[in-house]
Amino acid sequence: MRANPASEKAPDELLSRYRRVRQVSEALVASLSDADATAQSMDDASPAKWHLAHTTWFFETFVLRDHVRGYALHDARFAYLFNSYYEAEGARHARPRRGMLTRPTLDAVLRWRAAVDAALAEALPDLPEAARALVTLGCHHEEQHQELLLTDLLHLFSCNPLEPAVWRGAPKIPVPMPGPVRWIEGASGTVEIGHEESGGFAFDCEGPRHAELLHPHALADRTVTNGEWAAFIADGGYADPRHWLADGWAWVQAEAIEAPLYWERRDGVWTRFGLDGRRPIDPAAPVTHVSFYEADAYASWAGARLPTEAEWEHAAATHDPARGNQLDGAGPIEPRPSSGGPAFFGDVWEWTGSAYRPYPGFHAAEGAVGEYNGKFMSGQFVLKGGSCATPRGHVRASYRNFFYPYQRWQFTGVRLAKDL
């Protein structure tokens, strides 16, 4: 975590933010049964109940246990069940077996959350600055898990032959197909990227701010649409090895990949499964649930490439990260057609061609929280911009999301770039 100490919120303001974040998490599961919240569909995903519990464990462990004298853990066994990957916190339940935790029940987890919320509210006025900074980190951490909760739930429900909807979808309003991509010429020469030390909260991996050399290039003014992706499929894009990286082509062959995740052709029409059930794809909406391998292959087919992280961040730095189609509480979410004008935030996370590696001068924080990002800087690629499932206000131009190149259950999409 990086934060400007002078910008740490006053206790009352921080408590209000804490409560808002916690309430959103619970609103997201309000319509779920205990079974819905317990099941796990794959190793990469976690049950909704586990997300609620893990974020509570984070606050109870790193704030209440470590900074409140005399605090007694709600249930000491929960540390083993709901630690995620913090080696410094000891042994933990295996990630692929989180769906086996039928107990504690969803109601019991919610009662634990309420107890931790009450204890933190009582303790907050007397917490030292370092502990308040951990509360701030915990709020951002829980917002990350809100997005994961939704995408994991989507994957879980997609595995059910009934294809149930989490919520009713918004009414469809016909939108014309966007015109051809317009190219925005980017800066060239030496620029600075990374989070400003004086800019408030940021995760540790977003800094230090440093210089990058940009070569002449241009970025597309919007992301690739479903309709454009359907043309890629129709042209044999998934069957032509010329467009694919070797690892990507091996993945396509081994997994029999023929379309984005959740796409299915029914009665000659491409459909997609979403949190609102199965519907025909909207050809004007951004394509989503594509892997880095697919994004890179599409860019090759289109005669372009993926932007670098530095190109994307420098171009997005003048745009408002709180605008765009992002998560506002609980309710229907899906990528929406462009409303016109360059937009860099919301709808879909955008793959870059940049590996997720440390910036020059990066040092992980001391203690268990130092495991938050740094140890994952291997074999993954950076995504930028947030999605329709990202809580509004969570992202910024310097924000670095990261996934392995084959992963695509998140709301991941594609913006093209080209050399000039």
Side-chain angles (χ1 to χ4, degrees):
M1 178 193 68
R2 303 174 70 83
N4 174 16
S7 71
E8 292 301 334
K9 297 178 181 293
D12 287 349
E13 185 181 357
L14 182 55
L15 180 59
S16 294
R17 169 155 169 70
Y18 172 84
R19 285 173 168 161
R20 287 196 303 272
V21 169
R22 301 283 280 174
Q23 289 164 0
V24 168
S25 298
E26 294 177 19
L28 293 176
V29 303
S31 66
L32 302 185
S33 69
D34 188 78
D36 291 335
T38 299
Q40 180 180 20
S41 56
M42 63 171 174
D43 292 358
D44 285 336
S46 296
K49 181 175 69 178
W50 188 90
H51 287 294
L52 296 176
H54 168 70
T55 51
T56 302
W57 168 85
F58 186 97
F59 286 112
E60 185 177 54
T61 300
F62 297 126
V63 179
L64 296 176
R65 184 200 67 183
D66 291 353
H67 293 276
V68 178
R69 185 183 299 275
Y71 177 80
L73 295 175
H74 184 81
D75 188 325
R77 298 172 299 175
F78 288 178
Y80 178 84
L81 296 182
F82 302 121
N83 179 7
S84 55
Y85 51 71
Y86 294 90
E87 299 287 350
E89 288 297 321
R92 56 204 176 277
H93 188 68
R95 178 173 182 168
R97 297 180 60 82
R98 289 172 183 170
M100 303 297 289
L101 299 176
T102 58
R103 303 293 177 92
T105 64
L106 175 59
D107 285 344
V109 168
L110 292 173
R111 289 194 296 272
W112 176 33
R113 285 176 65 91
V116 168
D117 290 350
L120 194 142
E122 180 180 356
L124 191 58
D126 298 321
L127 288 178
E129 185 177 284
R132 293 204 310 272
L134 287 169
V135 175
T136 298
L137 173 62
C139 289
H140 289 267
H141 168 252
E142 183 146 347
E143 286 177 334
Q144 290 180 316
H145 278 273
Q146 288 166 358
E147 179 159 11
L148 288 168
L149 188 158
L150 289 170
T151 51
D152 292 356
L153 188 64
L154 171 58
H155 190 271
L156 173 66
F157 276 29
S158 77
C159 297
N160 187 328
L162 298 177
E163 296 189 317
V166 176
W167 47 55
R168 181 178 299 176
K172 291 296 182 183
I173 300 173
V175 175
M177 284 293 294
V181 162
R182 293 188 299 110
W183 294 97
I184 305 169
E185 185 173 351
S188 58
T190 302
V191 301
E192 288 197 343
I193 68 164
H195 192 259
E196 294 272 11
E197 286 286 349
S198 60
F201 177 87
F203 290 110
D204 56 359
C205 64
E206 296 176 53
R209 193 163 177 83
H210 63 285
E212 292 275 357
L213 177 63
L214 300 185
H215 299 282
H217 69 281
L219 300 181
D221 67 328
R222 58 170 175 81
T223 55
V224 174
T225 65
N226 287 323
E228 291 167 331
W229 202 273
F232 170 64
I233 297 173
D235 196 44
Y238 281 89
D240 189 343
R242 293 178 302 165
H243 303 307
W244 294 82
L245 297 169
D247 286 348
W249 184 244
W251 172 77
V252 163
Q253 297 294 293
E255 302 296 329
I257 305 297
E258 297 179 338
L261 185 63
Y262 308 132
W263 279 36
E264 195 173 302
R265 200 167 180 84
R266 295 190 176 180
D267 299 323
V269 175
W270 281 115
T271 66
R272 59 86 179 140
F273 182 74
L275 290 167
D276 56 353
R278 183 163 294 280
R279 295 186 176 203
I281 65 165
D282 181 345
V287 71
T288 189
H289 302 299
V290 294
S291 67
F292 171 84
Y293 292 142
E294 292 166 283
D296 187 80
Y298 179 92
S300 173
W301 174 80
R305 60 171 174 82
L306 298 179
T308 68
E309 179 178 14
E311 289 169 347
W312 191 100
E313 183 174 329
H314 189 265
T318 58
H319 292 255
D320 183 358
R323 296 190 63 186
N325 179 23
Q326 301 178 50
L327 180 68
D328 292 302
I333 60 165
E334 63 176 321
R336 300 173 188 161
S338 173
S339 58
F344 284 89
F345 295 95
D347 281 313
V348 293
W349 286 101
E350 301 176 19
W351 285 106
T352 73
S354 298
Y356 178 58
R357 291 290 295 149
Y359 287 156
F362 170 82
H363 297 286
E366 295 293 329
V369 294
E371 299 183 51
Y372 199 99
N373 284 308
K375 70 180 185 179
F376 299 110
M377 292 175 171
S378 173
Q380 306 194 64
F381 284 83
V382 174
L383 302 97
K384 306 288 276 187
S387 79
C388 57
T390 305
R392 191 176 304 281
H394 180 71
V395 293
R396 53 209 152 261
S398 63
Y399 195 104
R400 309 179 79 195
N401 201 354
F402 50 93
F403 286 103
Y404 290 102
Y406 59 87
Q407 292 176 316
R408 57 182 191 157
W409 89 109
Q410 297 300 307
F411 286 96
T412 50
V414 185
R415 181 186 301 271
L416 297 177
K418 66 178 182 179
D419 297 319
L420 296 179

